[in-house]
Amino acid sequence: MTVSMSDPSAVPAGAAPVREAGMRVQVGDGLGVHVRTWGERPPSLLLVHGFSHGGFVWRSLAAAMPEYGLAAPDLRGHGDSDHDPSRRYSIAAHVSDLIEVARALDLRDYLLVGHSLGASVATLAAQRLPRPPRAVVLVDGGPGLSPTASAHIREEFLRLKFRYRSPDEYLEYLQATMPLVPPPLLQALAVDALERLGPEEFRLKADRALGYQDQAASVEDELWQGLREIRVPLLLVRGAASALCGKRWCEEFSARVPQAEVESVQRAGHAVMLDNPSRFNALLRQYAAQRLAPRGAAPLHVQEAV
């Protein structure tokens, strides 16, 4: 395993000043995984993004938590991490990569947060990380999700144009498909998601091959088992308008994982941290203040989501 540092990146317009840096971690299969970091090291939050996105989706959270160190890897095939020429994009591969990232960051007293695909990765990695997290936060993700909705996400991804004349052209697509996201975050997302190839040529950073990755049927059982084995506090944050984590799914989740706390964020769909960043950031900041406080601190009492 080798680690190399890259140049700091800018914070999106409208966000509070916060220093962002980058590093690369050499993982299995000879690939390099890019990791964004904010604040002090070692980080207090390890953040795992969802399908087709990248660690850049957590910038608003980083700006809202300047007193904490945060780290957000780009999963292989996503963001600024390497594409795998052999298309090894299984959840197991992502879990192995996350373990290497955690080792490189020397994580000690931290929260593990995963969104969507990242929630599955976090669930299976929680018991295998070099040091266990203080708590695990799943953001609109977990086992038992609607197979129809999941298939729709992959199909929409494969139908995407992968080349654009400018970030503004891609922004038009994002505005149509992510109407709840505040304009500054959407504009930053349009820039972060693209790689410049020439003066008027940009390409999506996510590997198209991600859309062909079928999840093994056995992963569902592994995820439910993984949740039962988590011995630290567990919080599920779902978007109240999410098409994946609907009320019926949430009821099943609570019945099968009774130790988990559940919070619903209003005016948010699947991309909770982007759709309603002010509420999501406040919730995570409060949760971190309690779970990263000395052991024995009072349990979480979150005000009603707005």
Side-chain angles (χ1 to χ4, degrees):
M1 176 182 65
T2 58
V3 178
S4 60
M5 298 300 297
S6 62
D7 294 333
S9 301
V11 177
V18 58
R19 181 182 183 276
E20 177 180 326
M23 59 184 287
R24 291 189 75 78
V25 178
Q26 195 74 21
V27 298
D29 305 323
L31 302 178
V33 168
H34 178 262
V35 184
R36 288 171 175 80
T37 62
W38 297 270
E40 300 298 322
R41 298 275 299 274
S44 298
L45 283 84
L46 179 60
L47 307 161
V48 191
H49 65 81
F51 175 77
S52 80
H53 286 158
F56 45 79
V57 299
W58 305 106
R59 280 219 186 94
S60 175
L61 179 64
M65 302 179 66
E67 69 273 37
Y68 292 94
L70 287 75
D74 295 336
L75 298 175
R76 62 169 64 193
H78 297 75
D80 295 314
S81 290
D82 291 344
H83 291 190
D84 186 342
S86 298
R87 299 185 175 186
R88 290 164 291 194
Y89 293 131
S90 66
I91 290 178
H94 294 316
V95 169
S96 296
D97 293 349
L98 188 64
I99 292 169
E100 291 299 319
V101 168
R103 185 172 291 115
L105 292 168
D106 192 28
L107 296 178
R108 298 174 183 271
D109 193 29
Y110 67 101
L111 301 182
L112 176 60
V113 182
H115 169 245
S116 191
L117 167 64
S120 296
V121 175
T123 295
L124 296 183
Q127 299 298 102
R128 295 177 51 193
L129 292 167
R131 296 183 184 90
R134 277 289 191 94
V136 176
V137 181
L138 307 182
V139 183
D140 222 70
L145 296 176
S146 165
T148 301
S150 297
H152 176 73
I153 289 175
R154 292 196 302 273
E155 291 166 3
E156 286 295 302
F157 175 73
L158 290 173
R159 280 198 290 264
L160 269 177
K161 285 176 55 178
F162 272 68
R163 289 181 182 260
Y164 298 85
R165 294 187 302 274
S166 69
D168 285 341
E169 184 184 1
Y170 182 52
L171 178 60
E172 293 178 6
Y173 166 79
L174 295 178
Q175 289 170 333
T177 57
M178 305 180 75
L180 297 177
V181 181
L185 291 185
L186 214 56
Q187 291 162 6
L189 188 64
V191 172
D192 286 321
L194 297 178
E195 174 189 7
R196 179 188 287 271
L197 300 178
E200 294 186 358
E201 187 177 10
F202 295 79
R203 178 178 61 195
L204 280 179
K205 292 179 179 178
D207 188 351
R208 182 186 288 271
L210 292 165
Y212 299 109
Q213 182 66 55
D214 291 327
Q215 180 173 292
S218 60
V219 170
E220 289 290 298
D221 292 336
E222 292 176 24
L223 288 171
W224 287 120
Q225 182 62 32
L227 288 171
R228 288 190 291 269
E229 292 175 353
I230 292 176
R231 297 291 179 257
V232 297
L234 178 63
L235 172 66
L236 169 67
V237 180
R238 62 176 289 269
S242 173
L244 264 73
C245 299
K247 290 183 178 180
R248 182 174 298 179
W249 175 85
C250 193
E251 291 171 357
E252 180 185 3
F253 183 93
S254 295
R256 298 185 67 165
V257 193
Q259 75 273 23
E261 299 177 74
V262 179
E263 292 292 335
S264 295
V265 176
Q266 302 300 315
R267 296 200 300 274
H270 182 54
V272 189
M273 66 286 181
L274 297 173
D275 289 341
N276 192 343
S278 60
R279 178 56 195 152
F280 178 82
N281 295 346
L283 193 155
L284 262 290
R285 184 171 184 174
Q286 182 178 355
Y287 194 67
Q290 295 190 1
R291 293 307 180 192
L292 296 178
R295 297 187 186 276
L300 173 69
H301 295 288
V302 179
Q303 297 178 352
E304 183 178 357
V306 295

